[in-house]
């Protein structure tokens, strides 16, 4: 069984601090603690979903809403000319935190072909 609350659940609940840039009743976006580019945000659902491999059909609207938020979050954080959206999934995908998160990665300069790890 998944141990709860996980670190991102704690951030979502405000139990541990994060540099939040957006929050509503369903999602939170905050700066990654170890940014790999000038803009590196994490966007998470407040609800604990372990990974993209573990979603249910009922979660589709929430994931779509998250996708729809990424452009504005990226732009407002300074990624004015584009960004990369990465969702590391499972052990093969290099996922370290078992709470679904979208990496929003960008900056003033092109990222090249770097994949984020
Ligand atoms: P993953 O490898 O699971 O896709 O990415 C997890 C990300 O979460 C990493 O980029 C890591 O730097 C970030 N992270 C892990 N713990 C914390 C934390 O406590 N606060 C914040 N802001 N980011 C974290
Ligand atoms: Zn969680």
């Amino acid at each position: 069984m998944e141990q709860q609350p996980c670190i991102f659940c704690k951030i979502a609940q405000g139990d541990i601090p994060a540099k939040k840039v957006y929050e509503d009743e369903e999602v939170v976006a905050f700066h990654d603690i170890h940014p790999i580019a000038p803009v590196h945000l994490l966007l998470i659902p407040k609800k604990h979903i372990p990974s993209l491999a573990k979603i249910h059909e009922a979660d589709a609207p929430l994931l779509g809403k998250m996708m729809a938020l990424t452009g504005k979050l990226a732009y407002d954080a300074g990624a004015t000319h584009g960004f990369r959206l990465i969702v590391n999934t499972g052990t093969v995908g290099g996922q370290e935190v078992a709470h679904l998160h979208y990496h929003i990665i960008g900056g003033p300069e092109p990222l090249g072909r770097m994949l984020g790890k």
Side-chain angles (χ1 to χ4, degrees), residues 2-3 7 17-18 20 24-25 32 36 39 44-46 53 67 71 78-80 84 87 92 96 102 105-106 109 116:
E2 186 71 34
Q3 276 208 325
I7 192 155
K20 292 181 183 176
D24 65 24
E25 66 284 354
D32 195 293
I36 61 163
V39 175
I44 67 169
K46 286 188 170 177
M67 187 77 82
T80 51
R84 190 164 293 164
V87 189
V92 169
E96 288 173 3
Y102 292 1
I105 297 169
E109 304 294 332

Side-chain angles (χ1 to χ4, degrees), residues 7-8 11 30-34 42 88 94-97 101 103 117:
I7 192 155
F8 285 178
I11 287 175
F30 51 95
H31 289 274
D32 195 293
I33 204 165
H34 294 127
L42 299 172
N88 295 323
Q95 183 178 3
E96 288 173 3
V97 177
H101 50 282
H103 292 261
K117 285 259 173 180

